[in-house]
């Protein structure tokens, strides 16, 4: 049976694969703690569920317009103006099946074969694969824990060539939790300002999950690049709505039009019911967002403290999202019984099979010296998981 070379070249999503593996082990009766997939462990807030039920009763059962209901696109434009100081017209907003779909739409709508796309790494698993799907060329620019996983202006400048077509930025970051300050973003914008043909794709899905004194600044708020910045966001993380599958891009008009054309031939409009729920999320009370953020901050403090007690782990203090990304290369070459930990994939497997904790290998994020923990789980799970990991790591010699 032929499988296209396009799909053969894709790697499966490691975040989803690890989560699936953990679910399978659980179904076999193994007591696995899942720190692999990144999704809020909270239920969707009540008022959002009520709006969805109302949408069913109101017969929102027909195809929705390809770019999303105008009421939702207006609501999103208002959100971007109110919360982020951005001025997008509703016609520039295209709602899709999650932020993942929105990013893929934008990449497919703008990248030609051989176009270079700059991706600072560690980077979320899907960017590189989406660029591959578009036959673009990934230009990975590594950052490290010592520099708080931040791309420097000099690194950016050095990565730009005449074939550079886009850069994908993610702050707060998955998988590192790093958050760029306004000054840091300005320094990058100063470089980008010199290259007017580079499209900026700003994945802002974790904007509300911020700790300590960090402030969220949208890349689209810098006038130098505002007219060529695509904002990606959605309801998955802020409103605990991962399964509802609603995300969007806010893009220059020409890109929004191209995305609508693509979506019209590919997926049609996103789920009608989920769109009405998303509208309620943006228009309803926002206390739920802050309550979840506070829980994540408490867990961030807990996981950082416990991870720092694990020998061989280099741990920073993430300022946002819900991931910890320790550097673990000091453990490479160590052994337990007949098992050798040669890399972070071996470590993730060892932690799964011996400690029964599911994590994600740093290589999935183009950073093989690291490992990712999602701490979007209960405090009890975090305490137990970190104790198990500590015991397993201490057994290595
Ligand atoms: N971007 C980043 C950085 C993410 O972590 C996720 C989570 N899957 C997404 C985009 C996609 O989110 P969703 O498709 O659920 O909106
Ligand atoms: N963003 C989440 C993660 O990184 C969800 C899984 C995915 O879509 O990759 O774990």
């Amino acid at each position: 049976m032929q499988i296209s070379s396009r799909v053969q070249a894709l790697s499966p999503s490691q975040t989803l694969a690890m989560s699936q593996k953990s679910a399978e082990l659980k179904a076999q009766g193994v007591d696995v703690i899942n720190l692999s997939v990144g999704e809020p462990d909270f239920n969707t807030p009540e008022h959002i569920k009520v709006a969805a039920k109302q949408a069913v009763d109101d017969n929102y059962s027909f195809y929705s317009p390809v770019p999303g209901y105008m009421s939702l696109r207006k609501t999103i434009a208002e959100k971007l103006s109110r919360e982020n100081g951005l001025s997008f017209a509703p016609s520039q907003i295209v709602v899709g099946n999650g932020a993942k779909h929105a990013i893929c739409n934008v990449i497919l709508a703008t990248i030609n074969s051989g176009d270079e796309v700059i991706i600072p790494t560690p980077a979320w698993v899907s960017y590189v694969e989406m660029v591959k799907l578009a036959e673009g060329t990934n230009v990975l620019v590594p950052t490290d824990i010592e520099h708080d996983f931040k791309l420097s202006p000099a690194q950016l400048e050095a990565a730009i060539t005449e074939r550079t077509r886009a850069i994908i930025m993610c702050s707060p970051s998955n998988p590192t939790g790093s958050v760029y300050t306004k000054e840091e973003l300005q320094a990058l914008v100063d470089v980008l300002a010199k290259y007017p043909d580079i499209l900026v794709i700003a994945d802002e899905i974790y904007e509300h999950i911020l700790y300590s004194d960090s402030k969220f600044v949208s890349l689209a708020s810098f006038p130098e690049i505002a007219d060529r910045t695509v904002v990606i966001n959605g309801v998955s993380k802020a409103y605990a709505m991962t399964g509802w599958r609603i995300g969007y891009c806010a893009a220059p008009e020409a890109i929004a039009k191209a995305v609508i054309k693509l979506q019209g031939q590919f997926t049609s409009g996103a789920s009608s019911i989920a769109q009405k729920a998303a509208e309620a999320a943006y228009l309803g009370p926002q206390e739920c967002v802050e309550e979840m953020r506070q829980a994540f901050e408490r867990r961030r403090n807990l996981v950082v403290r416990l991870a720092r007690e694990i020998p061989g782990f280099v741990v920073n203090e993430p300022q946002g999202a819900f991931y910890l990304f320790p550097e673990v290369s000091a453990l490479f070459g160590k052994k337990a019984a007949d098992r050798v930990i040669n890399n972070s994939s071996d470590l993730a497997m060892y932690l799964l099979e011996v400690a029964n904790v599911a994590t994600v290998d740093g290589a999935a994020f183009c950073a093989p010296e690291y490992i990712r923990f999602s701490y979007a789980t209960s405090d009890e799970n975090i305490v137990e998981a970190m104790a198990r990991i500590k015991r397993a790591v201490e057994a290595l010699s």
Side-chain angles (χ1 to χ4, degrees), residues 50 63 71 84 89 102 133-134 148 150 159 176 179 182-183 190 249-250 299 355 363 381 395-396:
V50 167
Y63 287 131
S71 55
N84 310 112
L133 205 54
D148 202 18
K150 306 236 176 99
T176 67
V179 180
K182 187 172 184 189
E183 292 68 31
D190 289 345
C249 68
R299 294 161 178 186
N381 273 349
L396 295 170

Side-chain angles (χ1 to χ4, degrees), residues 74-370:
K74 274 192 186 141
T75 299
I76 292 170
E78 281 158 19
K79 173 259 180 254
L80 290 170
S81 164
R82 187 178 61 245
E83 294 185 356
N84 310 112
L86 307 177
S87 58
F88 283 97
S91 58
Q92 294 178 271
I93 313 263
V94 187
V95 177
N97 302 304
K100 185 182 265 183
H101 183 211
I103 301 166
C104 200
N105 273 341
V106 170
I107 291 174
L108 288 174
T110 57
I111 301 303
N112 279 328
S113 170
D115 285 348
E116 292 180 356
V117 179
I118 296 176
I119 303 181
T121 63
W124 179 50
V125 285
S126 295
Y127 302 147
V128 166
E129 302 303 321
M130 291 170 178
V131 170
K132 272 164 50 181
L133 205 54
E135 297 176 4
T137 303
N138 284 292
V139 176
L140 306 181
V141 186
T143 69
D144 58 25
I145 198 164
E146 236 179 276
H147 299 90
D148 202 18
F149 301 107
K150 306 236 176 99
L151 178 72
S152 72
Q155 282 181 301
L156 172 58
E157 183 95 55
I160 294 173
T161 75
E162 58 200 24
R163 278 177 308 176
T164 306
R165 176 72 189 92
I167 177 169
I168 307 179
M169 293 289 293
C170 181
S171 175
S173 158
N174 176 5
T176 67
S178 286
V179 180
Y180 284 84
T181 63
K182 187 172 184 189
E183 292 68 31
E184 287 163 343
L185 289 177
Q186 182 67 62
L188 296 175
V189 167
D190 289 345
V191 175
L192 290 168
K194 295 191 270 177
Y195 303 94
D197 295 335
I198 299 179
L199 180 72
V200 180
I201 302 174
D203 184 346
E204 304 189 337
I205 190 92
Y206 294 99
E207 73 163 306
H208 288 299
I209 307 176
L210 284 177
Y211 312 125
S212 313
D213 299 327
S214 8
K215 299 239 169 347
F216 174 76
V217 181
S218 171
L219 264 170
S221 67
F222 293 86
E224 300 93 319
I225 58 165
D227 61 353
R228 54 184 162 109
T229 297
V230 177
V231 172
I232 303 288
N233 210 328
V235 291
S236 282
K237 316 290 172 173
Y239 299 98
M241 292 177 70
T242 48
W244 297 77
R245 310 306 305 129
I246 295 292
Y248 61 86
C249 68
E253 200 81 49
I255 295 178
K257 281 204 174 90
V259 165
I260 295 167
K261 182 160 73 163
L262 176 65
Q263 194 157 287
Q265 292 289 24
F266 194 19
T267 57
S268 299
S271 154
S272 52
I273 307 301
Q275 285 190 58
K276 295 313 281 182
E279 213 174 300
Y282 287 122
L283 293 174
Q286 300 298 305
E287 287 78 13
C288 53
V289 179
E290 174 57 15
E291 279 163 24
M292 291 189 268
R293 191 205 65 77
Q294 284 177 12
F296 290 134
E297 180 152 18
R298 189 184 65 240
R299 294 161 178 186
R300 190 271 316 245
N301 296 341
L302 181 63
V303 80
V304 165
R305 180 166 62 73
L306 296 174
R308 285 192 169 144
E309 291 169 9
I310 301 176
F313 275 33
V314 181
V315 176
N316 69 348
E317 187 172 75
Q319 299 299 303
F322 33 63
Y323 306 103
L324 188 70
F325 205 60
E327 208 268 6
V328 291
S329 64
L331 302 177
F332 298 170
K334 291 192 184 280
K335 299 188 185 99
D338 56 352
R339 191 195 278 264
V340 187
I341 307 296
N342 283 316
N343 49 43
S344 117
S345 165
D346 291 346
L347 181 63
M349 251 336 128
Y350 174 68
L351 294 181
L352 181 63
E353 288 166 10
V354 174
N356 293 150
V357 179
T359 59
V360 185
D361 164 14
F365 308 96
C366 308
E369 282 152 357
Y370 298 80

